[in-house]
């Protein structure tokens, strides 16, 4: 068992891992390059597999106080005529266990939980290099070095720590870009995730903060390259133009978007090694995933719990073996999901939508049950 850990990155995975380590009596310092704990982005879907970890960390009461919305269903709509194609009743598989939360609220709750457990969070600490070895550590931009028994890299897509395992293979643009925005709601909307499916594009929406905000994620296929990362602002007219003509329950709310970010969706290879010489990778640093199953944050939460347990048991070699097969399966499922939303008009689209409508009415449990292998995983059990 390690007595002291350094975690790089005060995002969801890093703070969750820090809290889980502290629960096990390990002294943890989190190094965050920003001068304040903040998150770019907006909404997140926390499915039961991720919520299990948050519950084990003691975060759920505070999370509910932020206005996290308990989603009751995922509703698929045909953007060409506005009709409902299928309704996946989440109450069948996860009553009250599928939350729509604001990313900033989740990060704030995790930060408070970690600090209450004794975790030290140091802001404005940019890590220049990660140093594997018998005495693993980090080198900061100011030249100072810190050492610990283990260094955990939860520093996202462009992880400094991943470079300690060798240069990462290049990522490949998927030919898709995504916009993210929130709009205020003037009236109640059902606690549901809606997906409007159109040719070469789709729009996901769900309420946040007790129904005061609606989160929008819009994905469009395109040939030109779009830079990766959430912080790139765009003109809301580009979003409205891309989705003009599509119909759906909430499509009119695109006219209320006043600020929007856009980013390119890239496929990143899963890291070949997630642990070596006292350094471990977690979440996107090890295995970025596309957003089409809303599992990025949930996988990071699972990683955080399993890695903390392996650290406590002194068996870090087991970490990747416990996680890799599941992570690769989720990533593959997410990558194959987009085409189902983006089908062009024709016989194949009509047949697929007809089959979904029939299954939604005749065997609704079967539709939502296809995700049981994701949602019913409990790494804390």
């Amino acid at each position: 068992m390690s007595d002291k850990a350094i975690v790089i990155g005060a995002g969801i995975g890093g703070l969750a891992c820090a809290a889980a380590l502290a629960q096990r009596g390990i002294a943890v310092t989190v190094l965050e390059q920003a001068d304040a704990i903040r998150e770019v982005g907006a909404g997140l879907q926390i499915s039961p597999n991720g919520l299990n970890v948050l519950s084990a960390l003691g975060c759920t009461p505070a999370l509910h106080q932020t206005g996290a919305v308990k989603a009751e269903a995922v509703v698929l709509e045909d953007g060409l005529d506005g009709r409902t194609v299928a309704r996946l009743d989440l109450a069948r598989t996860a009553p009250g266990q599928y939350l729509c939360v604001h990313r900033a609220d989740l990060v704030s709750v995790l930060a408070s939980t970690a600090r209450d457990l004794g975790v030290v969070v140091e802001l404005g600490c940019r890590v220049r290099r990660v140093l594997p070895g018998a005495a693993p550590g980090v080198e900061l931009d100011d030249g100072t070095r810190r050492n610990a028994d283990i260094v955990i890299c939860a520093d996202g897509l462009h992880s400094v720590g991943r470079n300690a395992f060798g240069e990462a293979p290049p990522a490949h643009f998927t030919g898709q870009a995504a916009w993210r925005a929130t709009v205020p709601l003037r009236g109640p909307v059902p606690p549901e995730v809606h997906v409007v499916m159109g040719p070469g594009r789709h729009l996901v929406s769900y309420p946040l903060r007790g129904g005061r905000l609606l989160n929008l994620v819009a994905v469009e296929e395109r040939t030109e390259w779009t830079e990766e990362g959430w912080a790139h602002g765009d003109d809301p007219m580009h979003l409205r133009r891309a989705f003009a003509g599509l119909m759906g329950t909430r499509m009119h709310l695109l006219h209320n978007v006043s600020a929007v970010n856009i980013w390119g969706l890239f496929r990143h290879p899963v890291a070949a090694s997630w642990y070596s010489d006292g350094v471990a990778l977690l979440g996107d640093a090890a295995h970025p995933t596309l957003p089409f199953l809303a599992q990025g944050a949930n996988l990071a939460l699972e990683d955080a719990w399993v890695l903390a347990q392996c650290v406590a048991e002194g068996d870090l070699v087991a970490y990747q073996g416990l996680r890799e097969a599941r992570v690769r399966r989720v990533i593959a499922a997410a990558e194959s999901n987009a085409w189902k939303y983006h089908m062009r008009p024709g016989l194949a689209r009509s047949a697929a939508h007809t089959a979904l409508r029939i299954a939604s009415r005749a065997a609704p449990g079967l539709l939502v049950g296809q995700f049981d292998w994701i949602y019913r995983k409990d790494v804390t059990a």
Side-chain angles (χ1 to χ4, degrees), residues 169-258:
H172 299 284
F173 182 47
T174 64
Q176 299 173 98
W179 289 274
R180 183 187 294 271
T182 59
V183 295
L185 288 169
R186 296 184 177 88
V189 298
E192 300 168 343
V193 178
H194 279 227
V195 182
V196 175
M197 303 178 291
R201 58 206 191 276
H202 76 277
L203 175 73
V204 181
S205 65
Y206 49 87
L208 301 171
R209 290 182 171 167
R212 300 190 301 277
L213 284 178
L214 189 74
N215 190 71
L216 300 170
V217 179
V219 177
E220 179 194 37
E221 295 177 7
R222 52 169 61 185
T223 55
E224 68 268 26
W225 178 81
T226 304
E227 192 171 355
E228 194 171 24
W230 289 343
H232 310 295
D234 195 26
D235 186 337
M237 282 303 301
H238 295 160
L239 167 62
R240 287 190 275 270
R241 191 177 299 122
F243 284 80
L246 289 190
M247 292 184 282
T249 307
R250 299 169 179 169
M251 289 299 299
H252 65 285
L253 291 170
L254 287 180
H255 294 288
N256 297 340
V257 174
S258 59

Side-chain angles (χ1 to χ4, degrees), residues 36-338:
I37 292 182
R38 61 173 71 93
E39 272 290 345
V40 178
L44 288 170
Q45 298 173 55
I46 302 297
S47 49
N49 50 306
L51 194 60
N52 289 331
V53 175
L54 294 173
S55 297
L57 294 174
C59 293
T60 46
L63 198 57
H64 287 302
Q65 288 176 8
T66 70
V69 174
K70 296 179 181 179
E72 295 177 357
V74 176
V75 180
L76 305 181
E77 298 178 328
D78 187 342
L80 298 182
D81 59 19
R83 295 170 58 200
T84 295
V85 175
R87 177 186 171 90
L88 283 69
D89 187 359
L90 296 172
R92 289 177 174 270
T93 186
Q97 298 297 302
Y98 196 108
L99 301 185
C100 298
V101 305
H102 199 291
R103 182 182 292 268
D105 295 339
L106 177 54
V107 169
S108 178
V109 167
L110 282 166
S112 295
T113 299
R115 284 175 169 139
D116 288 346
L117 288 165
V119 172
V120 176
V121 179
E122 296 187 22
L123 302 174
C125 292
R126 182 183 292 273
V127 175
R128 179 192 300 168
R129 272 198 309 155
V130 174
L131 308 168
V138 299
E139 180 183 306
L140 304 182
D141 260 2
D142 63 8
T144 60
R145 294 194 177 195
R146 306 280 191 89
N147 291 95
D149 298 310
I150 182 170
V151 176
I152 295 170
C153 305
D155 49 345
L157 282 174
H158 306 292
S159 170
V160 174
R162 181 161 175 168
N163 292 334
F165 293 79
E167 186 175 353
H172 299 284
F173 182 47
T174 64
Q176 299 173 98
W179 289 274
R180 183 187 294 271
T182 59
V183 295
L185 288 169
R186 296 184 177 88
V189 298
E192 300 168 343
V193 178
H194 279 227
V195 182
V196 175
M197 303 178 291
R201 58 206 191 276
H202 76 277
L203 175 73
V204 181
S205 65
Y206 49 87
L208 301 171
R209 290 182 171 167
R212 300 190 301 277
L213 284 178
L214 189 74
N215 190 71
L216 300 170
V217 179
V219 177
E220 179 194 37
E221 295 177 7
R222 52 169 61 185
T223 55
E224 68 268 26
W225 178 81
T226 304
E227 192 171 355
E228 194 171 24
W230 289 343
H232 310 295
D234 195 26
D235 186 337
M237 282 303 301
H238 295 160
L239 167 62
R240 287 190 275 270
R241 191 177 299 122
F243 284 80
L246 289 190
M247 292 184 282
T249 307
R250 299 169 179 169
M251 289 299 299
H252 65 285
L253 291 170
L254 287 180
H255 294 288
N256 297 340
V257 174
S258 59
V260 65
N261 288 340
I262 188 171
W263 78 103
L265 301 181
F266 286 71
R267 284 193 184 91
H268 290 256
V270 174
S273 298
W274 302 8
Y275 172 76
S276 180
D277 293 331
V279 176
L281 305 178
L282 179 156
D284 281 350
H287 50 74
T289 181
L290 294 173
F292 303 127
L293 281 176
Q295 284 299 303
N298 293 291
L299 290 179
L301 289 167
E302 289 183 13
D303 282 356
W305 186 269
V306 173
L307 178 54
Q309 192 65 29
C310 288
V311 172
E313 293 173 356
D315 189 14
L316 277 155
V317 175
Y319 165 55
Q320 184 171 353
L322 290 169
R323 298 292 301 143
E324 186 173 10
R326 171 172 171 79
V327 164
R328 286 186 179 276
R329 186 182 178 193
V330 172
I331 288 173
E335 288 181 354
S336 68
N337 217 35

